[in-house]
Amino acid sequence: MEVSWGILLIILGTALVTFLPRVIPLMVLSRFELPEWAARWLSFVPTSVMAALVGQEIFMNDGEWLLSFRNLDFIAAIPTFFIALKTRSLLATVLSGIITMMLLRVFF
Amino acid sequence: MGQVNAQMETIPAPQNEDTFLKGVKDCIPTLLGYLSIGFAAGVVEKTAGLSIMEVVLISLILYAGSAQFIAAGMIAVNSSATAIIITVFFVNLRHILLSAALSPYFRHLSPLKNMLLGSLLTDETFGVAINKAAEKKAISERWMHGLNLTAWLNWAVANMAGAYFGNWISNPEKYGLDFALPAMFIGLLVLSMISRKKIVLDIIVAVFAIMIAVGVSMIFSSSLGVILAAVIASTLGMVIEKWK
């Protein structure tokens, strides 16, 4: 049952920065309203963070820009994207992404 | 008629208070989805070098799907703890919105009780709870605990199962499991954009975020890329929306 100090530090640190945004609004917003600009700014954070992560995952390989048919991540992203649009289900999206990638690796 | 209505309104209605067990039951439709994502997370964490005990701890203490994938990916390439924590902070900042959106339904509770409810808040439990709120004006505390604890235990079990399974497969890439993370990001991106009905503005923000993230990653680091993309693209969205 080995737990290294380095990993424990990462777990506790990431948990703390996740815990605070989870609980602070519930604890204080019964008393205060979030200013309008802040709510507006926050409303774009999920889209921009997820887009940034998708971009890094599918357009890059080992820190290099890679847009070609040898980039399997990019190819697998295309059907995955349409399945997400069509089904609106996270489960269907993840499963179809995994299966697409598995098939691509069989053929390429 | 008026009399009947008045009478009905004065009757205390404890039967309307949803129970803990009802919360457990309302969680069930989400279980399969998170079971599979948690399983993939467990495999990826294990192959990133985490022990099974560390997988259990990260799924119980951090308890956040995308953040766990990211942490695992960054641990695998020996990123610094500081870079991992800052990246996870930005990825999980969206919880502020979920938490703020739920706050009106728990005004009857003390801050400490709100803290307990919020500590297990996720995208999925938020989705279930906000649907419940659409039916009722307040959400029962016991019901929310039932929902939260079911989702939490399911997640830990799924991660653990994935970690055990990860012992047997030396290369998760062969089974496409490394694509679980990008696929989840694609799903979360598409779902959040569809639900907001600000498609044009969101696409502008998303394209900018991708350009900033990729550009900064090539020159500096990928975690700085995510942070700058989040700050700059969100500010751009806010300014454009204000301008119109």
Side-chain angles (χ1 to χ4, degrees):
Chain A
M1 286 295 144
E2 68 284 21
V3 176
S4 81
W5 284 109
I7 299 292
L8 190 64
L9 176 73
I10 291 168
I11 294 174
L12 293 177
T14 52
L16 179 69
V17 299
T18 305
F19 174 78
L20 296 176
R22 270 177 174 157
V23 302
I24 288 174
L26 267 166
M27 291 175 74
V28 304
L29 281 184
S30 47
R31 274 151 265 268
F32 307 97
E33 287 287 336
L34 209 58
E36 197 218 328
W37 66 265
R40 210 186 277 274
W41 187 80
L42 281 170
S43 76
F44 288 103
V45 170
T47 302
S48 50
V49 169
M50 288 305 150
L53 292 169
V54 169
Q56 288 183 343
E57 291 285 342
I58 69 175
F59 294 128
M60 299 184 74
N61 200 342
D62 293 328
E64 295 290 320
W65 169 258
L66 181 61
L67 191 55
S68 80
F69 287 105
R70 282 174 298 135
N71 180 354
L72 294 187
D73 283 333
F74 175 67
I75 299 171
I78 298 167
T80 307
F81 179 79
F82 283 105
I83 285 161
L85 270 180
K86 184 88 186 148
T87 64
R88 301 182 177 199
S89 149
L90 201 55
L91 173 62
T93 306
V94 171
L95 287 182
S96 58
I98 290 173
I99 293 166
T100 307
M101 187 49 103
M102 193 169 74
L103 293 175
L104 283 171
R105 290 246 163 79
V106 171
F107 294 113
F108 294 97
Chain B
M1 278 299 275
Q3 235 177 355
V4 173
N5 280 341
Q7 214 172 15
M8 282 172 70
E9 277 163 16
T10 54
I11 294 170
Q15 71 273 22
N16 284 348
E17 179 90 337
D18 283 315
T19 60
F20 182 89
L21 202 62
K22 183 77 169 66
V24 173
K25 282 181 185 159
D26 286 342
C27 190
I28 290 171
T30 71
L31 291 184
L32 188 63
Y34 268 45
L35 210 52
S36 60
I37 295 170
F39 186 84
V43 173
V44 171
E45 286 153 2
K46 188 75 180 62
T47 48
L50 270 68
S51 69
I52 287 179
M53 193 62 203
E54 288 165 347
V55 170
V56 172
L57 288 179
I58 201 170
S59 61
L60 287 175
I61 302 176
L62 172 53
Y63 182 50
S66 42
Q68 284 176 227
F69 275 107
I70 289 163
M74 292 179 81
I75 288 168
V77 296
N78 284 318
S79 298
S80 72
T82 315
I84 298 173
I85 292 167
I86 293 175
T87 305
V88 166
F89 171 72
F90 274 92
V91 168
N92 281 339
L93 203 53
R94 68 180 190 285
H95 288 104
I96 288 185
L97 286 169
L98 310 183
S99 178
L102 282 182
S103 64
Y105 304 101
F106 295 109
R107 286 209 166 133
H108 55 292
L109 301 176
S110 68
L112 185 70
K113 285 180 171 175
N114 268 306
M115 188 188 84
L116 284 176
L117 291 176
S119 62
L120 293 181
L121 183 62
T122 66
D123 298 297
E124 286 298 296
T125 54
F126 170 80
V128 176
I130 208 76
N131 280 336
K132 173 64 74 179
E135 298 167 22
K136 308 196 171 194
K137 288 191 182 72
I139 301 175
S140 135
E141 184 189 6
R142 285 176 301 170
W143 178 86
M144 194 70 195
H145 281 311
L147 173 69
N148 279 344
L149 290 174
T150 311
W152 189 46
L153 291 178
N154 176 60
W155 179 252
V157 167
N159 270 259
M160 223 189 307
Y164 274 107
F165 188 72
N167 274 332
W168 306 105
I169 45 170
S170 50
N171 59 338
E173 286 163 16
K174 190 181 166 196
Y175 304 99
L177 283 165
D178 58 319
F179 200 69
L181 176 66
M184 188 164 88
F185 292 154
I186 291 169
L188 288 172
L189 176 65
V190 169
L191 294 183
S192 76
M193 285 169 71
I194 289 174
S195 65
R196 275 161 48 78
K197 299 186 176 67
K198 292 178 185 170
I199 292 292
V200 177
L201 190 52
D202 277 353
I203 290 174
I204 295 172
V205 169
V207 169
F208 253 85
I210 290 173
M211 292 193 312
I212 296 165
V214 172
V216 173
S217 309
M218 285 196 297
I219 303 165
F220 301 102
S221 70
S222 55
S223 47
L224 188 65
V226 174
I227 294 162
L228 288 183
V231 173
I232 299 171
S234 301
T235 307
L236 182 83
M238 178 188 78
V239 169
I240 294 176
E241 197 178 43
K242 191 84 184 169
W243 217 270
K244 285 199 294 191

